[in-house]
Structure formats: C-alpha cells, structure tokens
Amino acid sequence: MRRAHTVEEIRAAEAALMATLPEGALMERASTGLAHHVADLLGSCYGRTVRLLVGSGDNGGDALHAGAVLARRGCRVEVRALSESPHPAGLAALRAAGGRVLEAGEAGRRPDLVLDAIVGIGGRPGLRADAVAALAEVAGVPVVAVDVPSGVGVDTGELPDGGGTHVTADVTVTFGTHRVCHLVDPAAAAAGAVHVVGLGGPSGDLALPPSAVTALQAADVARLVPRPGGADHKYSRGVVGVRAGSARYPGAGLLCVAGAASGLAGMVRYVGDDVVGDRVRSQHPEVVGAGRVQAWAVGSGTDAGARRTLQEARADDVPLVVDADALAHVTDFGGPLASAVVLTPHAGELATMLDVSRGEVEARPLASARRAAETFGAVVLLKGRRTLVADRDGDVRVSASGTPWLATAGAGDVLTGLVGALLAAGLTPYDAASVGAWLHGSAATLASSGGPLVAGEVARAIPAAVRALTPGAARG
C-alpha cells in the first residue's frame, strides 16, 4: 500500500531519524538517490548538461549535492540560484566537483534536463516571478522535481488559485514516503512518475504514523477481494439487488447489472422497469427477480423514478451503493440512509450535492470528498482520473488504476454494480468502494489494451482483473 504523509508528519520523522545519524548523513542519502535517478534518466552523464533551479533550504541542498555527484560523473552542471543564500555546504560541494552558478542575466547552455528544487515541502502554492522566469528559460526541457513539484499544495493536492504558476514535472524523486500531492489530483498530474528514495533508518526507513491518505496496490486488493470457500453456496456468497435503468435509459440498467453479475457475489436480483428487466434476463439469464438481498445498487439511469427506487431500497436496511439520478435524493428521507452507504458521484454531481461549482470540486477534490463523507454520513467515491474514496473519519484511498479510455458512457454504471456486489459479498463500504474502484480501472486497462473501449467491455473484463490477482499477490 502506498501511504502519503503530511508535511508535519514527515518533518517529525526526519528529525527523529537525523538524531540517530551523523550530521549531513540524511542529505547525503537523499541526494545520492536523487543523482542516481537523474543519471538513469539521462542514460549517460558524459557530455550532458543539467540545470539546477535552486531556492533556499534543504530542498536546494539535496539538489546541489546531487549536482555534485552528477558533475563527478561527467555532467556539465549549471545552477540558477533563486535565493541569495543557497545551501552553503551543497553549494561548496557542487563547486568543488566542477559545477558552476550562472550569473544574473547569463543564459547558460540549453540543458538536457532540469532539476526543480525551487521550493520544498514547506512551500505554498504558487511561484514568485523570478522562479517563473527561470522556468521559462528552460521551457520544453524534461523536468525532475526534487521532493515535490514546486508551487503545488503539498498536503492538499491542490494547485495555486487563480491560475498561478507551478512546476509540471515529468518525474518527481521524493524521500522516505509519498506526500499527499503525489497521489491526489490535480497536483498528482503535475508530479509525473513518482520515485521514492529510501532513507535507510534503523528500522528500514522513516518511522511514520498511520496515514490518512493511501493508495491500494495489487497485493492489497488481492487480500481484500472476497473468495468463496469450499462450503460456500450462492446465498452465503451474497445476493446483490439492482434497481437501475428506465424506459429512457435502459442501457444504464443493463450495464449496472453487468457490473454486479461479474461473479463476485453469488446471485444478482433485478427490480425495475419491465422492458429493462426483459433485456436483463435476455442478456443475463442467471439474474433473477425480487427477493431478499444483502445489498442494493441503486440509481443508475432511473430518471424520474430515482427517488422511489432509493426509498424502496432504503426500506430494506441493507448496505447501499447510490449513483446518478438517486444522488439528488439522498437527504430526502431524514435520518441515516441505511446501515451502510456508498455514494458514487462524479465532480458535477458532487458539486450539486454540496451546492458549490463543479470547478470548486475539481480544484479541491480531496477536501470536497471529505466534506461530502462527513456531511452525508457515507463513504463517498468521487470518480476522476485519480478516484478518491473518502470515509466518514477522514481517511481517503486513492485509486490510480485505469486508463484515459475509461472516460466513456456507462462506465460509472458498471462501477455501481461492481461495488454493490462487493458490499453483498461482505466487504465494508470503505473496502467495497476502494476495491471496486481499483478493479474497475484494472478491468478497463485489460479491456483497452491501449485503445478505445466501451463500458460493456469493462464489465466483461472484471473476472480477468480478479484472476490477475495471483495467489502470490494475495500473500504479498
């Protein structure tokens, strides 16, 4: 599992580790790891030029010491200093290795790679004018960010308000652990590929507390996916009910059923529009009609019947996953929705639920998902490039699986059915939503193979995504 920590947590852990090490040892470890990653990206150091954009503090020190390592390996290393007092020891090491600081107004060589060390984890969103100018000098050159892309919100995953400037990196090299901005959009998109350099503390690395923002990996999903035992039968594996689709949107009902009928629950029941029901039974003969269920998937394509279908499902007092049209009615009935609820809005739907603009949700997805989970007393699955699953206690899981081709009509209906099946199979709402989001993305990647896909193909690929979670992964 990838764990992202706050600036305060990281600083406390680094201070504790530094107390056990000789002076400068932690920076030496960080800068050496950084230099190795840069050298790997360059392929060969000889004859290559690296530009360091360096502010003050330890972030600049990491870059300067890394620059010294690269200079000793044959790189031409030039520094654009954006502070009157760059890290003294780092600057001395760089100069001793043959690197040089550019004078004000000096253009320098066109670099092969830029190292962004303008500000570190203590920086605030946005950049000063001199940093903006320094970035403009090297526009189009690949950028490696040191620790975090300068100018992003480290603990929030947000970008500067009002279109302020920030670094967009191709690669970010960080130290000890992920920061929130590495996992959460929109800042995660500015971080590029993230590599973590271990700092090698006495117990392996930084001693950090449990983190509130995490990202499941394949091994975590393998441990959580419900698997039948030898004594299980269709009822013990869970029965999921689907109330989805309408005369206007029959496809939504079919796709929601397809996600639910992917094999993770023992039985699927469909209750809804008769025409949709006929189509469901034609395409999914294993699906049956009304009866007792362990969870409901409600709302996809229910149109004018959304309120009624939600009310009927809520009356059973079983876990619910609520999507699309039904999201507008989650507060209509007073009191808690049910024993356990997952809400699955996209940014526009969540904006309506919170009475804010869509732009507000897209700019602050982490804060918005947490606010919604607290407001509605439910797990909130906010769909996006980095889907967020927020629990009521503030914990958030980020799902980075998937492909841009997943942005296709009906994909959310499949996800709703899939999460419903996982709820019926016995997962908690938090686990069902986060495992469902991960499997949904993985299935889309398999179905796409790098090209276009439609929602039905995602549903059909879910069993393959589960099979890809090998027994070895389950033990990992």
Side-chain angles (χ1 to χ4, degrees):
M1 182 178 291
R2 290 178 181 167
R3 295 175 168 83
H5 288 83
T6 65
V7 171
E8 182 179 355
E9 291 167 343
I10 292 164
R11 283 177 167 166
E14 287 180 343
L17 180 55
M18 282 192 289
T20 70
L21 298 172
E23 184 177 356
L26 194 64
M27 183 170 288
E28 180 181 356
R29 292 175 181 180
S31 60
T32 300
L34 171 62
H36 284 214
H37 277 288
V38 172
D40 286 344
L41 288 168
L42 289 170
S44 172
C45 286
Y46 286 98
R48 311 303 289 275
T49 299
V50 176
R51 174 78 58 87
L52 313 185
L53 305 182
V54 175
S56 59
D58 289 347
N59 183 256
D62 291 334
L64 290 165
H65 279 289
V69 174
L70 293 169
R72 288 194 294 270
R73 294 179 64 171
C75 277
R76 179 186 178 95
V77 180
E78 298 179 340
V79 178
R80 177 68 73 198
L82 299 170
S83 166
E84 294 183 0
S85 55
H87 192 274
L91 194 59
L94 179 87
R95 283 176 163 148
R100 60 184 298 271
V101 178
L102 297 172
E103 299 293 337
E106 182 183 358
R109 288 192 182 183
R110 178 74 173 174
D112 298 291
L113 186 144
V114 171
L115 216 54
D116 158 37
I118 300 170
V119 293
I121 60 174
R124 292 178 293 183
L127 295 174
R128 299 193 319 256
D130 59 341
V132 174
L135 288 168
E137 290 178 350
V138 292
V141 178
V143 175
V144 175
V146 181
D147 218 356
V148 298
S150 295
V152 306
V154 179
D155 283 348
T156 64
E158 297 170 13
L159 299 181
D161 289 332
T165 303
H166 61 87
V167 169
T168 298
D170 298 277
V171 173
T172 295
V173 178
T174 193
F175 311 111
T177 184
H178 286 83
R179 285 68 168 135
V180 174
C181 63
H182 297 148
L183 300 184
V184 174
D185 274 342
V194 179
H195 300 280
V196 180
V197 172
L199 295 176
S203 58
D205 220 312
L206 297 178
L208 291 156
S211 54
V213 177
T214 58
L216 295 183
Q217 304 300 291
D220 307 303
V221 177
R223 284 192 291 268
L224 289 168
V225 165
R227 300 175 186 272
D232 273 319
H233 49 78
K234 60 187 178 185
Y235 296 111
S236 65
R237 291 188 59 210
V239 180
V240 57
V242 175
R243 294 177 181 267
S246 60
R248 187 178 182 185
Y249 301 114
L254 291 169
L255 290 167
C256 190
V257 167
S262 52
L264 289 165
M267 180 184 288
V268 180
R269 297 184 183 276
Y270 178 78
V271 178
D273 182 88
D274 289 341
V275 173
V276 179
D278 289 342
R279 294 186 184 182
V280 165
R281 285 181 284 274
S282 174
Q283 295 190 28
H284 300 278
E286 70 278 9
V287 175
V288 298
R292 187 174 179 181
V293 301
Q294 277 74 56
W296 280 108
V298 181
S300 302
T302 45
D303 199 23
R307 187 180 190 280
R308 174 180 51 80
T309 57
L310 178 58
Q311 185 174 26
E312 291 171 351
R314 183 175 179 271
D316 284 343
D317 196 29
V318 297
L320 303 175
V321 53
V322 183
D323 184 35
D325 301 311
L327 291 168
H329 302 287
V330 294
T331 60
D332 284 4
F333 310 107
L337 284 164
S339 56
V341 180
V342 177
L343 308 178
T344 61
H346 56 57
E349 291 164 336
L350 188 59
T352 299
M353 296 171 73
L354 295 175
D355 194 24
V356 298
S357 70
R358 180 174 187 138
E360 168 74 14
V361 174
E362 291 175 337
R364 298 176 174 81
L366 179 61
S368 299
R370 280 175 162 161
R371 178 187 165 195
E374 181 180 5
T375 298
F376 300 109
V379 169
V380 173
L381 187 161
L382 176 57
K383 292 175 280 195
R385 189 190 81 99
R386 291 285 176 94
T387 291
L388 302 182
V389 177
D391 206 353
R392 289 167 290 185
D393 62 3
D395 284 348
V396 176
R397 284 179 179 157
V398 185
S399 180
S401 68
T403 166
W405 293 110
L406 186 52
T408 187
D413 305 326
V414 173
L415 175 60
T416 298
L418 172 57
V419 174
L422 293 166
L423 283 172
L427 293 191
T428 67
Y430 191 49
D431 285 344
S434 47
V435 169
W438 194 97
L439 286 175
H440 188 247
S442 178
T445 300
L446 290 172
S448 166
S449 296
L453 78 164
V454 294
E457 293 171 324
V458 178
R460 289 190 288 275
I462 292 170
V466 176
R467 286 194 294 273
L469 298 169
T470 63
R475 293 192 298 269

